Amino acid sequence: MAPFELRWGIIATGGISTQFTKDLVLDPAGRDANDVKHIVKAVGSRSKESADKFISAVLPSDLQEGAQGGTYEEVFANPEVDVVYIGTPHTYHYENTMDALNAGKHVLCEKPFTFDVEELDELTALAKKKNLFLMEAVWTRFHPIAYAVQDAIFSGKYGKVKRVFADLAFNIEPDKLDAKTNRMIAAELGGGGLLDLGPYPMVWVMMILHQNPGNKERAPPSSVKGHMRIYERTGVDASSTWIVDWKDVGTAVCTTSIETQMNLERCVTVQMEGGELTVDFPTFRPEGYTITPKPANREDADPEGEGNANPDANKTQHHSHPVPESAGRGMNYQADEVARCIRDGKLESERCNLAESRIVQSVFDEVRKQGGYLGGNAKGKAGTR
């Protein structure tokens, strides 16, 4: 049977759209995806010249002729486009996704999905009304390591999860950036670490705790506690810490920062009854994890004891699950999920569904409210409303 072909329109021509498109047109066989195929039919930018330049620079020469450059509106109106990828700054995700859905297009929108829950609820309602597929582009969820980590934790071999620590932080030297135009610190652009970096710690928290077999009803978190250190130049967060608890499942501590470099060896730590699992750096694209079993008793844990130490009781094992070179950066795994869902008539992905995106957005809203976030978005909404 021939693979299902999905025709894409790309909205925006920045770095994230460039990487997504490069990965999108790679041969699916390079990641064992022989049932789907992707083709770029249109690229939208603020000018046709910019869109055409993107097509020439990003698409292989044999695919350029079939792609049409133009404005966002022209991409939305293009009858040859089945689904639109939204790669604009996150304060424009609501507007761009709304326009795409109103034009009858399925949508894969970059993270964070929207500026707040109110916007996300409107998009969700519209997608359902129009019978269109909608998904947040949480690419890490579809990487080989994401499934492998869940399998290891959910196997029960190491007992129940007790605590999760997840971090993504970089020192971007914010004082050197333009406070009005740089998306990482500009208040009007919804800057700060939480919205830009926070989705990645939440990727692992949602997969480990929310999707945990112990959360049989997929209940949302029972509590959220947030703290922010505000970047005084613009009122956005320089660093954020939030504690999210799922009753009877486990507790997560998440952190982000735009002025501190994170640990370059590990990004996530999962403490279980019978061991500890750590995920390699970086949070958005790790390629391995390490498990250290917990010793069964004090004698096993103490090599200086009465000669009872068990050399295998605390044996650390590292497991590699890289994205193959033939899959590029790996942003195409999520595109394969989109294709299969649309092929099968699904309006959302089971692995990355709208209810879970809403939980993440709700957590961010609450953290900003508790932390005193003063940024807004491009439409003038206040961050703490």
Side-chain angles (χ1 to χ4, degrees), residues 113-302:
F113 217 149
T114 54
F115 185 75
D116 57 25
V117 165
E118 180 182 325
E119 290 185 343
L120 180 54
D121 286 346
E122 291 180 22
L123 295 179
T124 298
L126 181 60
K128 291 181 178 179
K129 178 181 178 180
K130 290 185 169 290
N131 205 40
L132 292 168
F133 177 86
L134 178 62
M135 189 177 92
E136 185 178 14
V138 191
W139 61 308
T140 312
R141 283 194 183 215
F142 300 96
H143 284 185
I145 190 172
Y147 296 94
V149 166
Q150 283 185 307
D151 287 345
I153 294 172
F154 298 165
S155 69
K157 181 178 180 181
Y158 303 99
K160 294 181 179 180
V161 174
K162 307 303 287 186
R163 298 193 296 176
V164 178
F165 300 87
D167 181 37
L168 182 58
F170 298 105
N171 182 8
I172 65 171
E173 300 184 273
D175 290 344
K176 297 181 180 180
L177 304 178
D178 190 302
K180 294 292 186 181
T181 62
N182 189 283
R183 68 177 181 84
M184 290 300 298
I185 63 171
E188 187 180 63
L189 298 178
L194 182 69
L195 290 180
D196 193 85
L197 305 178
Y200 289 106
M202 285 300 292
V203 164
W204 297 96
V205 170
M206 293 296 289
M207 289 195 302
I208 294 167
L209 293 180
H210 184 73
Q211 294 184 355
N212 193 288
N215 190 18
K216 296 179 181 178
E217 303 300 323
R218 292 293 187 265
S222 50
S223 69
V224 177
K225 302 294 183 182
H227 174 270
M228 285 183 163
R229 200 181 79 76
I230 298 300
Y231 183 61
E232 293 185 0
R233 284 178 68 202
T234 61
V236 303
D237 61 305
S239 63
S240 290
T241 300
W242 61 105
I243 302 172
V244 192
D245 187 74
W246 275 262
K247 185 178 180 181
D248 301 324
V249 178
T251 302
V253 179
C254 300
T255 52
T256 63
S257 175
I258 59 173
E259 56 182 9
T260 305
Q261 177 61 57
M262 67 182 294
N263 188 302
L264 297 180
E265 294 183 359
R266 61 184 180 275
C267 59
V268 178
T269 298
V270 185
Q271 294 179 333
M272 300 168 283
E273 292 173 320
E276 182 174 275
L277 183 149
T278 59
V279 180
D280 297 349
F281 172 90
T283 321
F284 47 86
R285 193 182 181 274
E287 296 194 338
Y289 69 90
T290 299
I291 291 183
T292 303
K294 181 180 178 181
N297 52 58
R298 293 177 65 89
E299 287 75 19
D300 284 342
D302 183 10

Side-chain angles (χ1 to χ4, degrees), residues 133-135 142 337 341 347-354:
F133 177 86
L134 178 62
M135 189 177 92
F142 300 96
E337 173 74 1
C341 287
L347 300 185
E348 56 183 300
S349 164
E350 294 178 8
R351 183 164 181 81
C352 189
N353 59 61
L354 296 172

